[in-house]
Every structure is written in C-alpha cells, then in structure tokens.
Amino acid sequence: MSETVGERLRELRTERGLTQRQLAGPQYSAAYVSSVETGARTPSGDALRFFAQQLGVDPDELLGGRSPRELIELDLELIETADRFLAGDARRATPRMQRIRRRAERLDRPRQAGIALLWLAGYSTGDVRTKYVADAETALSGEPPPVRAMVVPLRAAVLTAWGEVQYSVHLLETCHAELLRDGYPQPSMLLTLRACLAERHLCQGDLERAAEYAGSALRLSRGGPAVLAELTRSHVEVCRSHLAADRFADAAASVAAAYDLMQERALHPAMAYCLLARARVRGRSGDAEGALADLGAARETAWPDDVPAITVELAGEYLAAGRLETASALLEQVRAGRHLAGTALAAELRLQLGSLARARGDARRAAADLRAAVELATALGARGVLIRALRPLSELLAETGNRAEAADVLRNGLIALGAEAG
C-alpha cells in the first residue's frame, strides 16, 4: 500500500529525530503537524514547502515516489468523471469511473480506488451497489478515520434497502460520535453524516431529531449546487495552473479542496431533507416565509422522485398563507405529472385540492376532493392523511346541511383509524 503525505512526513521527521513541535517551527503548531501526519488534514502548498525545508528534502518527495503529475492528473480525472455523474450522465460516467478505479489500483492508490468505488456505488442499486460498497470498505481500510467514514453513508443506504433502518441509523450515529470523540471533526464528513441522519430521522417521523441534525448540517453547508459547482471549477482551474508551473504541492492542496466540494455536491438530495425538516419546524412556529423559502430550496435540490411530494407540501404552505393561485399552479403541476395512483401522495394531493376548493368557496368541488382523499387514505392505510382529511370534510358536510353524512364520515374514519391502530 502506498504511503500518504502524512505517513511520509512522520517517517522523515522520525528519521531526523525531530519532535512534532520542532518540525512545526514558528509558523505552525504541533497539533497541526499531528493532524497532517494522521491524515485528518491536507497540508497547504506553503505548509508542504515549509516542512520540506525543515526536513531538507524536495517538496515533491513528500507527495510520493511516483510522478506527482500523474497522481494529480488521476485526481482531476476522478473529479471530472464524478461531475458527469452529478450532471445525470451516469451511462457514460460509469465505464470511465471503472477505468479510473483500475488505474488507481495499478498505481497503488487505494484512496482514489475507494473513492471511485463509492461514486459507482452511489449510482448503482441492489447487489451491484452492495458489491461496490464492500470493495470500497476493503480499499479504504488502511486510510485515516475521516476517509474510512466516507463508506458509512452508502453502507447505511444498503442496510436501509434491506429493511434494516434502525441499524443504518445506529451505524451513522456511531460513526459521527467516533469522529468527534477521536478528534477528527472534518467539516465535509460531519456534514455528510448529519445530513444523512436528518434524512433517516425525518423518514421515520422523528421531526425533533431530524431538525437537530438538519440545523447543524445546514450551518456547515457552503451553498447550493450552483455555488458548489462554481467553487469546484475554481479549485480545478487553480490546480491546473499549479500543475502547469510544476507546483505540485499547491496542485495537491487545490485538488483536495475540490474533492471536499464534490462530496458536498453529491450530498444535495440529502440536504433537501434537511431543508424539509427545517421548513416543518418553521411552519409550526409560525414562520411562514421561512418555511416557504426552505421548501422551495428543497424542491430545487431533491431527487426527482421526491419532488412531487415536496411540491404538494409547498402548495399546502402557500394555501395556508392565502396565496391560492400559487398553490393551485403547484398542485396542477403534480396532477399533470407522473401517475400517482395507489400512493399516499395521491391521497395527499386530493386533500390539498379539496382544501383549495374550500378556500375558493367551491363547496361541491371541495367535498368531492375531500371524500376522495378520505377514501384513498382509508384504502392505503395512510393514517396521517386520513386524520387531516376527516375534520374538514365533516365540517364542510355539516355546513352544507349534510349532518348525517358528516357523522357517518367521522364514525367510519374513527373505525378505520381504530382498526389500523389495533
């Protein structure tokens, strides 16, 4: 297995009989040297040059025995291929990433091979994903904790697909706690774990825990997809400029920064759940504008399959704020989209359409949509939608003189809820 920069730094320092404090000199701290040696931090170009001078070696010697240019170009190719995945071109990106993985293995670069495997796993399913994740765990087994932790979110995704949701949450929380406990609070890795935990807890209905992780993840985030893409391009361009001038230490620092940004960019579907959790908390606290802003941002960054549900929720917030035309336009987008029959979202859509018709004073249309929502929710066992649809339907029926039907609706709904609870 090839040595990392930190391992070479520690080996050369030890050979020369220097302590970490002596190597740090007046410009750096012993703690910084320690973090570089353990792989928790990537040294800047200035730091590499300073340490090389202290050790009496060329800076390139700290970057490895192979050609620094070849290794950095491998990193750049990996980043460019990952960008193709993010752009939705997985069909062509997959074989290219597989070639990068094989090339990294030939160059004895387990970290790059493992990262390539993680990108492949992220855009695979079933047994193929499971195999990629297992191979990535093997490739990264000798890397520092923050690098090994990169596998954990995808291992958790595999467990979730197997129905082991509680175990996946436990795995994420254990990894998060261990990084903090052992002194590896790398921002990009903490962001990843917290966003994944927010997603898992929100899907389980635990808004309080989801909001806790979501808030801390959003505070670590550096911006939306467009901002992160621009920052990535900037670091790649700087890397190429350094490479052209044979400033390999600076190029390595730039490519490491680009790696972190790519990891954050890949995270944005999970970040949509962070925004969704914060939107619900804001909505419950009366911050309607904050909730609308978060839901709108979540809709822009979510996986395509999640967009219809977020759109319906956003329409509900606009409806609650009295902005009926905006709510109507959003609901029509969902109704005109892909087929939703047989899903809880279909019941939620009819509930919101009924609420919209009622707000417009169209009692007949409102009653029809709310009845459909109750019937669908009952058939599907969608308890949340059923609970929220029963009251407005019974109230509307009572207001229009259909008191007997209103009583029947409530009674049948309560029976259905009781049957579900039992």
Side-chain angles (χ1 to χ4, degrees), residues 80-335:
E80 289 170 358
T81 306
D83 189 66
R84 292 192 178 192
F85 275 118
L86 294 174
D89 191 10
R91 183 179 63 83
R92 284 187 288 187
T94 296
R96 184 172 174 178
M97 192 64 85
Q98 289 168 336
R99 288 195 296 272
I100 291 170
R101 178 251 182 120
R102 291 192 292 270
R103 184 178 165 203
E105 289 173 340
R106 287 196 300 272
L107 292 172
D108 193 21
R109 306 301 290 181
R111 182 178 302 196
Q112 284 86 342
I115 291 172
L117 284 161
L118 290 177
W119 280 98
L120 290 165
Y123 290 84
S124 303
T125 57
D127 292 341
V128 175
R129 169 179 278 190
T130 303
K131 178 67 165 56
Y132 280 139
V133 170
D135 288 346
E137 287 171 332
T138 300
L140 299 176
S141 61
E143 297 296 322
V147 179
R148 294 201 307 272
M150 293 173 67
V151 184
V152 172
L154 280 161
R155 172 56 68 190
V158 169
L159 291 169
T160 299
W162 290 347
E164 300 285 349
V165 179
Q166 292 295 337
Y167 186 27
S168 75
V169 171
H170 171 73
L171 185 65
L172 290 164
E173 290 186 331
T174 299
C175 181
H176 180 263
E178 287 176 349
L179 288 178
L180 292 175
R181 182 196 67 200
D182 296 338
Y184 295 101
Q186 188 181 48
S188 62
M189 200 61 247
L190 294 182
L191 169 61
T192 299
L193 293 169
R194 289 169 185 176
C196 291
L197 282 164
E199 177 182 0
R200 294 289 191 280
H201 283 299
L202 192 63
C203 290
Q204 289 182 287
D206 189 345
L207 179 58
E208 184 177 351
R209 293 296 303 281
E212 177 185 343
Y213 283 116
S216 57
L218 290 166
R219 286 191 294 273
L220 287 172
S221 176
R222 286 174 281 188
V227 172
L228 295 175
E230 182 61 32
L231 288 172
T232 305
R233 283 192 294 271
S234 295
H235 281 292
V236 167
E237 289 170 8
V238 169
C239 177
R240 292 194 182 283
S241 296
H242 287 315
L243 206 55
D246 292 337
R247 293 195 295 267
F248 300 121
D250 292 319
S254 294
V255 87
Y259 264 137
D260 276 354
L261 288 161
M262 292 301 295
Q263 184 177 345
E264 188 171 343
R265 287 174 64 192
L267 193 61
H268 264 271
M271 293 301 292
Y273 281 87
C274 293
L275 290 162
L276 193 56
R278 190 170 71 179
R280 290 176 182 173
V281 171
R282 285 177 164 178
R284 292 183 182 185
S285 66
D287 181 7
E289 290 305 314
L292 289 171
D294 280 343
L295 284 169
R299 186 168 175 257
E300 293 300 316
T301 60
W303 286 113
D305 287 349
D306 293 331
V307 169
I310 296 174
T311 302
V312 171
E313 188 167 343
L314 179 59
E317 287 293 330
Y318 275 116
L319 180 57
R323 297 160 70 173
L324 305 188
E325 293 311 311
T326 303
S328 177
L330 290 169
L331 292 173
E332 286 304 319
Q333 287 178 23
V334 177
R335 185 154 64 171

